[in-house]
Amino acid sequence: MPTPLAVVGTSVVKVDAAEKVSGRSRYFDDVPHRDALVGKVLWSRQPHARLVNIERSRALRVPGVKAIVIGADLPDGLMGPFIKDEPILAKGVTRFVGEPLALVAACSDEAAAEALQLIEVEYEELPAVFTAEDALRPGAPLLHPDLASYVKIYEAVQEGNVCSHTTFAEGDLDAGFAEADEVFEDTFTTQRVHQTYLERSGAVVEVDAGGRLVVWSNTQSVHLTQIRIAEALLIPQSKIHVINSRVGGGFGGRMEPTVQPMAAALALKCGKKVKLYLSRDEEFTFGKPRHSSRIDIKTGVKRDGRLTAKQVRLIYNTGAYADDGPGIAGFGAMMARGPYNIPHVRIDAYCVYTNLPKSGAFRGFGNPQATFASESQLDLIAERLRLDPIELRLRNAVQTGDTALGGQRYTSVGLRRCFEQAAARAGWRRVSASSSPTKRRGMGVAAMHHISGLLSAGAFVKINEDGTVGLVAGAVDIGQGCETVLTQIAAEELGVPMSDIHYAAIDSDTAPFNWGTAGSRTTFTVGNAVRLAAGDARRQLLALAAKTLEVSPDDLETVDRTVRVKGSPQRALSYRDLGAISHWVSGGPILAKGSFIVDGPGFDPKRAVLRGFPFGPLTAYIFGVHVVEVEVDVETGEVKVLKAAAAHDVGRAINPTVVEGQIEGGFAQGLGYALFEELCTEGGQTLNPSFIDYKIPSILDVPEEMTAIIVEEEDPHGPFGAKGVGEPGLVATAAAIANAVSHALGVRLRDLPLTPERVLAALEAKQGTLSPPRAP
Amino acid sequence: MATTKGDERLRMSRRSFLKGMGVGAATSTALATGLVKPRAGKAAVPPLVEGLSYVPVELKINGRRYALTIEARRTLADVLRTELNLTGTKIGCDRAECGACTVIVDGRAMYGCSLLAVNVQGREIETIEGLAKNGRLHPLQEAFIEYDAYQCGFCTPGQILAGKAFLDKKKSPTLAEVKQALSGNICRCGAYHHIFEAVLAAAKKL
Ligand code: FES
Ligand code: FES
C-alpha cells in the first residue's frame, strides 16, 4: 500500500470545476476576435492529381476578398513530426480529397464562400490507391516519389509507398516455432475512426507590431504548433507565439497542428488578423483518423499454454502524409508482443502512404489495433488448448523485472492484480448463455500494456511576493485533468494547499517545452518535471530561511507553509515572509525549474534487432485488463455491452476520481471503435462526415454496470510512484468486446467494427446452427 | 477496408442514432423532436431577401429582456454567443447532431443551433449563465462538480441544461429515464457514468 500523502492520492475537486460547470471556460471560439478576417479553405476534390493551374483572378474580384493564397505562393518548407513530407497547401500535386489547395481571407463569411466557388482548379488526374494492399503492389502509383530526399528525424527504412518500416526482432524465430506444439496463423483488420473531439479546431493568427506571428488556437501542444509553423514557413521558432485556449477534447487529433499553419500563411499574406474555424464536416474530412490496419499474426504455443514464438506483420494505412504514422506504426510494433514473455519474436510494422486523407494520432497510438489482433488470437489459442483465457494469459504474463520487447526492463507490473480484480468484479465465468430465444450472452477478456514515460518536458515554479505559487508547465489540459494532477504534485512537494498554486495558461512564450498532451505521459513525464521544479523551489525556500535565521538548512523543517527550526518552532518564517524577503531584501525572487527527459536505459542492441523505430527509450509501462459481458441479438446482429470491469495499473493514482473518469471515457471510445464507428470512403471521398452518419457512443450505449478499478503498482521513477492512464481505457476495449461476442456466438469475428451485418454474416457462415454454449 | 460501401452501414447508423436522439419517443424526451432533422445540413434558413434581412427581435434570456437588430437567418446559439457574449452555449456541429448548444426554451431542452432567434421571441430562454442564483451554483452544477461529470467540459453546459429541463419536470427519475433525457447530448470524452450519477444525485436534492 502506498504511504498516505497530503494531497496526492486524494480525489480533490478539479481546479477548473467551477468555470466548466458554469459555462465560463473560454474555448477557442469564446474569445471574440471581431477584427479578424474570415478565413476559408478550398479543399481538393481529387484523390491524386497534378495541379495544372489554380486560377484565382475572378475570386479576387469578389468585394470584400482581401487575399487568396495558393501553394505556389508559399516557401518550400515541409512539415511533419517524423518525416518532413507535408506542405501547408498542395503544391504541384494533390494527394487526397480534402487536401487544402487555397486559402481565402475576406471581410465576411459570404464573400469568402463566394470566392471559394470562383477559384478554378485545373486537375490532371493521376492514378490513385486507397488501400495499403494496393499501395504495396509492385508498380503502384507512388505518392511521394521524392521520399528519399525528405528530412527525417530518425533512421527511417523506406521503400515505394512504405514511408516507415519498423522491425523488432529477438531470439530465433524458427527455433521458437519448432519448439511449439501448435502454431496459429490469423489475420485481423481494423477500420479508420475519427477523434471527433466536440470542440472544432480553429486558429486566429495575427502578425504583431514586431513582426511576430501570434497564434491563438486549441491544440494539444503549443510547442509542436510553433515548431511546425516554423518549419513549413521557414521562419525561426522565436518569431512564433502560440497561445492556447481551453481545449474541448483532443484524443490525439490535435497533437500535431490542425489549421494553425494555414491561418499563419494567410495572415502573413494579407498582413491582417485572420480566423480559420473548421466546420464539423471539414473536421471529418480533413481530420486525422486512426490508421486502418491489416495485421497478420503467427504464434507458437506449447500444449501447456506457454508462448514460444510470435511473428507479426502490421500494415497501417497512413493516408497521403506520414504525420504521426511512423511513430504510431512503430509503437504498434513495440506493443504487438503484448504483456507476455515470449522468447522468440519478430515484428514488422509498415506505415503505408495511400490517397486517403492522412491519419494521425488517436488515443492508443497504434496500440489498439495491435491489441485487438493479439488478444483476439489469444482467445483462439485458449479455445484450442481448452484453457481458460485468463489462465492462458496469466501463464505468460510479464512481471516486474522481466524484459519488454527490445530489452528494456519492466520496473513495475501490476498485471496479475488487474486480471484478478477485473475477473472478480465482473464475475468472470466461461459459460455463455441464452437470455431469450433470440439473445445470447458471452463474456470476454483482454489485457493490454502501454507506456507512460516518453520524451521530455520542463516546468517552472516561482514563489510570488506573498508566498503563493506560480506553476508553469507546457502540459495542456484537454479534459484529462492534468492541471489538477500537476497542481497536486506541486502542492505535495512544496507542502502548500492547492489553492495557493496557480497553473499558468499555456503560452509558448513562457511555458517550458513539453512534447504534448499525449502518450499517457503527462502525469509521469511532465509530473516528474513539476516535482523537480517544486523540489527545487522548496530547497531555495529552505536556503533563504537558513540564511535569514542563520542556521543550517539541515536544522530546518517545513510545516504548513512555514519553515521553522527543528526543536524551536517559534523561530520560523512563513512562505509569505520568505516571498517578501526574496523579492525585497535578500536572495532575489525564487525561480525554480525542473527538466526531465526519458533517456535511458534504452533498448538493448545485444538482445534485440531494432530498425526504423522513431523513438528513443520509453519507460514506465502501464497495464490493464478489461472483462466485459455482452448480449448479442442473433436476429438483428446488434451487440449490447451489459457490463464491464476495467482494472488498470496506473502506478500511484494522484487523483483516483480523475483516473476513473479516464478509464470510463476511454472505454466508451473503445466501445464505439468495437461496434459501430467507421469513417467510410469511396474513391478517397469521405462518405459520412457528420454525427448522423458517423455515430459515436451516446449515454444509451455505455454499459450501466461499469467499474473502473485502480491497481496501484508504484513505479520507482514516477512522481510519487505515479505512471499514467490516458489511453489504456480505450486500448483493450475492442478486443474484450470482440472476445465476448465470439464467446456468445461461438464464432470468431476478425474485422472491426463488429457491425450487425458482420455479426449476422458470421452467424450465417456457421450455417445457421448455433452450437450450445461452450463450457470451459 | 479503406474503400467501403457506405450505404447500408450509413442507413443503419442513422436509424440507431435517431433512436438515440429520442425521435421515436417524443413524449419521454426533453428534446424537441421537431428540431431533429432527418438530413444533415444547415438549419432551415429563410431566403435572404435583400433589404429585409435585418429584423428587430426581443429576446427574454435568463429573466432579462434584450432588444436587438439581427439578420433574420441567425440562430439562437449564434446570437447568444456573438451578440450577447453568452458563450456558455457551445456549438459543436451547428446542425442538430450533438447537443452542445442545448438551451431551455419554455421549459424544454432544445438545440440552440437549430432555432432561429426570431422564432423564439417572447419565450423564456434559459442558458447556462442563468443557472447560478445569487452567486450559488444550481444543485445540478454542484452535482457535476461532486461527481466529476465532465472532462473537457465542452458538452457540459448542454448536458446540465438537458438535465435541468428534465429534472424540473420529473421528480425521482429512474436511471433509464435520465439516460433517455440526456441521449441527445453527446459527450465524446465519455463522462457518461459520472454524468448520470450526477443527475440522479441532484434529483434527490431538488
Ligand atoms: S451545435 Fe447544436 S446540436 Fe451540435
Ligand atoms: S466533457 Fe468533453 S465532450 Fe463531454
Side-chain angles (χ1 to χ4, degrees):
Chain A
M1 270 318 256
T3 36
L5 297 165
V7 240
V8 157
T10 311
S11 290
V12 293
V13 166
K14 285 187 293 198
V15 297
D16 57 2
E19 64 161 84
K20 284 201 170 161
V21 303
S22 57
R24 287 204 310 270
S25 287
R26 292 275 177 169
Y27 297 85
F28 166 71
D29 194 39
D30 296 336
V31 183
H33 287 275
R34 297 193 203 282
D35 53 339
L37 294 174
V38 177
K40 279 197 191 296
V41 187
L42 181 72
W43 311 99
S44 172
R45 290 167 183 269
Q46 287 292 336
H48 201 189
R50 222 165 59 74
L51 295 169
V52 181
N53 187 34
I54 299 181
E55 184 53 58
R56 52 188 148 168
S57 50
R58 281 177 65 208
L60 274 169
R61 285 199 291 272
V62 173
V65 168
K66 297 293 175 197
I68 297 178
V69 184
I70 62 171
D73 303 339
L74 299 178
D76 282 328
L78 294 172
M79 56 186 177
F82 298 102
I83 300 169
K84 315 291 177 194
D85 63 354
E86 189 179 354
I88 295 177
L89 297 172
K91 235 181 204 186
V93 52
T94 177
R95 297 181 173 93
F96 70 95
V97 176
E99 179 165 20
L101 300 184
L103 304 166
V104 174
C107 297
S108 69
D109 246 4
E110 291 73 17
E114 194 184 338
L116 284 186
Q117 296 197 340
L118 295 175
I119 300 175
E120 292 152 43
V121 183
E122 195 182 324
Y123 300 98
E124 183 185 304
E125 283 184 44
L126 296 168
V129 281
F130 304 110
T131 64
E133 211 177 351
D134 286 343
L136 290 171
R137 273 188 231 290
L142 285 185
L143 270 280
H144 293 269
D146 298 332
L147 181 57
S149 70
Y150 293 158
V151 174
K152 293 127 209 157
I153 65 149
Y154 69 113
E155 258 180 71
V157 180
Q158 307 179 308
E159 197 191 345
N161 283 317
V162 176
C163 69
S164 185
H165 170 191
T166 304
T167 307
F168 278 86
E170 283 182 6
D172 177 345
L173 208 56
D174 291 340
F177 283 121
E179 215 182 289
D181 293 322
E182 303 246 19
V183 174
F184 293 76
E185 289 190 64
D186 296 282
T187 297
F188 301 88
T189 68
T190 67
Q191 78 283 27
R192 294 160 81 239
V193 287
H194 198 281
Q195 297 86 350
T196 68
Y197 30 75
L198 206 53
E199 184 197 16
R200 291 165 287 138
S201 305
V204 170
V205 180
E206 150 176 85
V207 182
D208 76 7
R212 294 175 85 217
L213 283 171
V214 188
V215 182
W216 292 267
S217 75
N218 45 5
T219 170
Q220 290 175 240
S221 172
V222 287
H223 299 99
L224 294 189
T225 296
Q226 180 188 35
I227 291 169
R228 294 298 164 254
I229 293 174
E231 64 194 22
L233 294 173
L234 304 178
I235 45 183
Q237 290 170 19
S238 59
K239 297 278 182 215
I240 300 158
H241 178 191
V242 185
I243 300 164
N244 226 23
S245 64
R246 285 260 175 238
V247 182
F251 317 114
R254 293 201 254 248
M255 188 52 191
E256 287 296 317
T258 51
V259 298
Q260 299 92 339
M262 288 192 273
L266 205 43
L268 275 177
K269 169 90 176 190
C270 62
K272 297 228 166 55
K273 189 191 265 189
V274 178
K275 175 173 177 177
L276 232 167
Y277 190 29
L278 293 182
S279 67
R280 182 53 64 182
D281 58 324
E282 288 174 323
E283 279 286 0
F284 274 109
T285 51
F286 178 58
K288 297 174 264 189
R290 186 187 304 289
H291 294 67
S292 60
S293 74
R294 176 200 157 106
I295 300 174
D296 301 294
I297 315 183
K298 182 176 170 190
T299 303
V301 58
K302 299 292 270 185
R303 217 155 279 126
D304 64 4
R306 266 180 305 127
L307 301 167
T308 60
K310 185 170 186 180
Q311 182 172 17
V312 186
R313 189 181 63 159
L314 306 114
I315 299 175
Y316 284 21
N317 183 340
T318 203
Y321 295 99
D323 199 275
D324 270 324
I328 288 164
F331 188 67
M334 185 181 160
M335 293 291 108
R337 189 192 79 181
Y340 308 108
N341 288 311
I342 308 176
H344 309 289
V345 180
R346 180 179 170 115
I347 320 249
D348 288 279
Y350 300 86
C351 186
V352 184
Y353 286 131
T354 66
N355 294 105
L356 287 184
K358 67 176 173 181
S359 276
F362 187 173
R363 203 173 197 167
F365 211 73
N367 193 359
Q369 297 95 319
T371 296
F372 164 68
S374 292
E375 291 290 312
S376 292
Q377 195 195 43
L378 279 179
D379 262 30
L380 288 165
I381 295 172
E383 194 178 342
R384 177 100 63 89
L385 299 181
R386 297 178 175 279
L387 276 176
D388 178 274
I390 292 186
E391 182 54 33
L392 169 68
R393 286 167 170 88
L394 281 174
R395 284 187 190 175
N396 295 284
V398 296
Q399 297 177 25
T400 304
D402 284 344
T403 335
L405 182 60
Q408 300 194 115
R409 294 239 166 245
Y410 290 112
T411 45
S412 57
V413 181
L415 182 57
R416 176 173 282 272
R417 286 161 69 197
C418 290
F419 274 114
E420 290 164 357
Q421 294 187 29
R425 187 65 203 218
W428 173 251
R429 60 190 181 276
R430 279 318 269 174
V431 189
S432 59
S434 301
S435 39
S436 84
T438 58
K439 293 196 172 142
R440 301 181 63 81
R441 288 189 179 183
M443 236 187 206
V445 65
M448 56 75 59
H449 63 161
H450 206 78
I451 52 90
S452 58
L454 168 65
L455 301 171
S456 78
F460 295 133
V461 165
K462 54 178 182 155
I463 307 296
N464 296 324
E465 195 253 11
D466 65 355
T468 59
V469 180
L471 171 59
V472 194
V476 176
D477 198 326
I478 55 172
Q480 87 286 41
C482 73
E483 286 194 6
T484 305
V485 163
L486 295 174
T487 303
Q488 282 179 269
I489 290 172
E492 188 72 48
E493 188 69 27
L494 267 169
V496 301
M498 286 177 67
S499 55
D500 273 12
I501 301 178
H502 173 71
Y503 188 94
I506 309 294
D507 178 319
S508 67
D509 270 6
T510 50
F513 178 78
N514 174 36
W515 179 55
T517 300
S520 307
R521 63 185 278 285
T522 303
T523 301
F524 182 92
T525 311
V526 187
N528 265 319
V530 167
R531 190 176 183 192
L532 288 169
D536 180 15
R538 191 168 167 275
R539 264 189 307 282
Q540 293 191 44
L541 285 164
L542 283 170
L544 180 61
K547 189 175 160 207
T548 313
L549 295 170
E550 296 177 334
V551 293
S552 151
D554 296 339
D555 297 331
L556 294 172
E557 60 184 0
T558 52
V559 181
D560 187 22
R561 286 179 280 184
T562 302
V563 182
R564 66 187 191 194
V565 179
K566 288 179 197 160
S568 41
Q570 71 291 354
R571 292 187 65 199
L573 288 167
S574 68
Y575 283 10
R576 188 186 190 103
D577 298 333
L578 290 166
I581 292 169
S582 67
H583 280 73
W584 305 116
V585 184
S586 159
I590 291 176
L591 300 174
K593 72 170 178 61
S595 218
F596 183 80
I597 185 164
V598 176
D599 58 359
F603 298 100
D604 178 358
K606 285 204 284 300
R607 181 188 164 102
V609 175
L610 179 53
R611 264 193 310 142
F613 185 63
F615 288 113
L618 297 107
T619 189
Y621 278 76
I622 42 187
F623 301 87
V625 173
H626 287 190
V627 175
V628 301
E629 184 169 353
V630 300
E631 183 172 75
V632 188
D633 186 322
V634 294
E635 284 194 323
T636 64
E638 239 170 294
V639 177
K640 186 146 185 57
V641 180
L642 301 174
K643 191 195 266 188
H648 286 266
D649 166 20
V650 304
R652 188 198 290 256
I654 305 279
N655 186 320
T657 299
V658 170
V659 169
E660 285 164 12
Q662 284 305 294
I663 295 171
E664 290 164 8
F667 187 91
Q669 282 178 352
L671 185 148
Y673 186 42
L675 297 180
F676 38 74
E677 287 184 39
E678 179 168 11
L679 202 55
C680 302
T681 56
E682 201 163 277
Q685 168 91 44
T686 302
L687 295 175
N688 51 342
S690 74
F691 286 130
I692 296 288
D693 296 326
Y694 183 95
K695 182 189 188 304
I696 68 171
S698 84
I699 200 165
L700 300 176
D701 296 305
V702 296
E704 270 169 31
E705 251 185 87
M706 159 99 218
T707 320
I709 302 161
I710 298 174
V711 170
E712 295 186 296
E713 193 74 28
E714 288 186 45
D715 193 87
H717 309 296
F720 301 102
K723 297 191 277 188
V725 70
E727 295 159 287
L730 188 151
V731 175
T733 303
I737 291 175
N739 285 342
V741 170
S742 300
H743 177 233
L745 301 179
V747 54
R748 172 63 42 181
L749 284 90
R750 294 160 202 262
D751 307 294
L752 290 182
L754 311 173
T755 56
E757 293 88 334
R758 285 205 173 117
V759 169
L760 293 178
L763 279 171
E764 229 163 78
K766 254 187 90 195
Q767 292 154 341
T769 47
L770 268 182
S771 57
R774 280 171 298 155
Chain B
M1 200 72 241
T3 319
T4 41
K5 281 197 226 78
D7 287 355
E8 278 169 8
R9 297 234 12 261
L10 298 187
R11 273 204 300 280
M12 176 64 73
S13 63
R14 178 175 312 139
R15 213 182 305 131
S16 28
F17 188 85
L18 288 177
K19 203 173 77 203
M21 308 269 285
V23 169
T27 47
S28 65
T29 69
L31 289 163
T33 54
L35 291 174
V36 183
K37 299 183 306 308
R39 186 58 227 167
K42 276 272 178 191
V45 173
L48 252 189
V49 183
E50 225 160 286
L52 284 184
S53 54
Y54 279 85
V55 290
V57 296
E58 204 179 290
L59 297 174
K60 199 167 162 210
I61 298 157
N62 302 326
R64 267 183 70 180
R65 281 182 193 286
Y66 296 87
L68 304 158
T69 303
I70 55 167
E71 277 178 280
R73 60 176 178 158
R74 292 181 67 189
T75 66
L76 176 61
D78 176 28
V79 170
L80 288 171
R81 294 176 49 78
T82 48
E83 300 299 324
L84 305 175
N85 201 25
L86 295 170
T87 53
T89 301
K90 303 300 175 199
I91 298 179
C93 66
D94 213 9
R95 52 187 190 198
E97 295 172 0
C98 75
C101 60
T102 302
V103 293
I104 301 177
V105 180
D106 285 346
R108 297 175 67 194
M110 296 183 130
Y111 289 167
C113 72
S114 303
L115 291 169
L116 294 179
V118 289
N119 289 347
V120 287
Q121 298 189 80
R123 298 167 71 178
E124 299 281 345
I125 298 161
E126 285 174 76
T127 71
I128 190 73
E129 288 88 352
L131 249 55
K133 294 275 182 275
N134 309 318
R136 240 206 105 173
L137 293 176
H138 185 276
L140 196 51
Q141 290 172 306
E142 284 173 347
F144 264 63
I145 293 179
E146 189 182 338
Y147 287 83
D148 190 36
Y150 73 91
Q151 288 179 26
C152 77
F154 199 77
C155 73
T156 309
Q159 305 277 5
I160 291 175
L161 288 166
K164 175 175 188 288
F166 170 67
L167 292 182
D168 281 349
K169 294 218 174 80
K170 181 86 199 175
K171 308 294 161 204
S172 337
T174 65
L175 173 56
E177 289 166 333
V178 169
K179 287 170 67 170
Q180 195 62 42
L182 295 176
S183 62
N185 290 73
I186 289 172
C187 175
R188 185 48 157 175
C189 296
Y192 294 127
H193 292 91
H194 291 191
I195 290 172
F196 63 63
E197 281 170 13
V199 175
L200 285 171
K204 294 216 178 82
K205 283 190 197 157
L206 282 166

